Amino acid sequence: MDPTQPDPAIFSHIRVVMGMIVSLSLARLLSGLALFVQHPGKTRVYWIHLGWVLFMFVFLVHFWWWEFHLHALPVLDVTVYLFVILYCCVFFFLCVLLFPTTLEDYSDYEHYFMSRRKWFFAFLALAFVVDLVDTALKGKAYFASYGLEYPVRNVTYIALCLIAAWTPNRRFHAAFLIGAVTYQLIWMYRAFDLLD
């Protein structure tokens, strides 16, 4: 065994815990979507809300794919472990914000989403901040391999999330959503098509 690489069992252990939280996040999204099929017409669907559900689904699948690179860390200590688990928890919280336990206090998903947008977009901005740290943990060469586009992408997402948290403007929200989903899909295929 290479002494510069951590024991693969440690990496597997971390992936199991991460997998549980990511699975709960995906389950929350899928269960929420299933409610629209189970009870059509009970709650009015809001396309921008559904768009962010799609964005989070893609982001979660992408996250699980790129976290494979944790195996390259020379040291996997409890700090890295806690950091990655907390990162997963941010995703879970975002998914719970998209599909609350009940909509009793809201007329529909548009009312709910727009009234909770500060929380949702603050946590989404946090996810992009944490993503920068997560990528830096994997080493300078790994971070640099994505070029200038990567930090510019994250800083842009963070800024747009802060604007989205502040403004109720539906046109801005529609444009941000369409741009975010499109870019996230393109980025995922360009930067992470193959695991190496």
Side-chain angles (χ1 to χ4, degrees), residues 76-89:
L76 286 173
D77 61 14
V78 72
T79 305
V80 172
Y81 174 73
L82 287 173
F83 174 80
V84 173
I85 298 307
L86 289 173
Y87 190 5
C88 291
C89 290

Side-chain angles (χ1 to χ4, degrees), residues 4-174:
T4 63
Q5 293 296 316
D7 183 345
I10 296 170
F11 178 63
S12 294
H13 178 70
I14 291 172
R15 297 249 325 163
V16 166
V17 177
M18 286 171 48
M20 290 185 322
I21 301 170
V22 169
S23 295
L24 288 169
S25 302
L26 288 170
R28 187 70 176 219
L29 294 179
L30 296 174
S31 296
L33 288 172
L35 287 174
F36 295 131
V37 175
Q38 293 169 339
H39 306 286
K42 182 176 180 182
T43 305
R44 191 167 59 93
V45 175
Y46 180 45
W47 76 271
I48 290 178
H49 168 262
L50 284 182
W52 286 110
V53 170
L54 172 62
F55 180 87
M56 286 308 304
F57 180 84
V58 170
F59 203 175
L60 280 163
V61 171
H62 182 199
F63 169 79
W64 189 243
W65 182 257
W66 88 63
E67 283 305 309
F68 175 79
H69 292 285
L70 278 175
H71 78 280
L73 289 180
V75 176
L76 286 173
D77 61 14
V78 72
T79 305
V80 172
Y81 174 73
L82 287 173
F83 174 80
V84 173
I85 298 307
L86 289 173
Y87 190 5
C88 291
C89 290
V90 170
F91 283 118
F92 180 74
F93 198 78
L94 280 161
C95 294
V96 170
L97 282 170
L98 285 171
F99 286 110
T101 307
T102 179
L103 283 179
E104 279 179 13
D105 300 330
Y106 306 94
S107 57
D108 55 24
Y109 272 99
E110 180 176 7
H111 180 213
Y112 169 76
F113 183 77
M114 294 311 287
S115 68
R116 299 289 95 195
R117 73 180 186 277
K118 289 182 172 110
W119 282 98
F120 178 77
F121 289 110
F123 269 86
L124 190 55
L126 176 62
F128 284 106
V129 170
V130 173
D131 180 50
L132 286 167
V133 177
D134 179 70
T135 303
L137 276 175
K138 294 173 183 130
K140 287 181 183 178
Y142 182 79
F143 194 98
S145 72
Y146 295 108
L148 185 59
E149 180 183 1
Y150 172 69
V152 168
R153 163 197 176 264
N154 280 37
V155 169
T156 302
Y157 268 127
I158 292 163
L160 290 171
C161 284
L162 295 176
I163 294 168
W166 174 75
T167 184
N169 183 294
R170 301 317 198 255
R171 286 186 180 166
F172 172 83
H173 280 273

Side-chain angles (χ1 to χ4, degrees), residues 179-194:
V181 169
T182 303
Y183 183 81
Q184 191 70 8
L185 286 167
I186 292 168
W187 172 255
M188 187 170 85
Y189 280 102
R190 278 190 310 119
F192 299 95
D193 189 31
L194 296 173

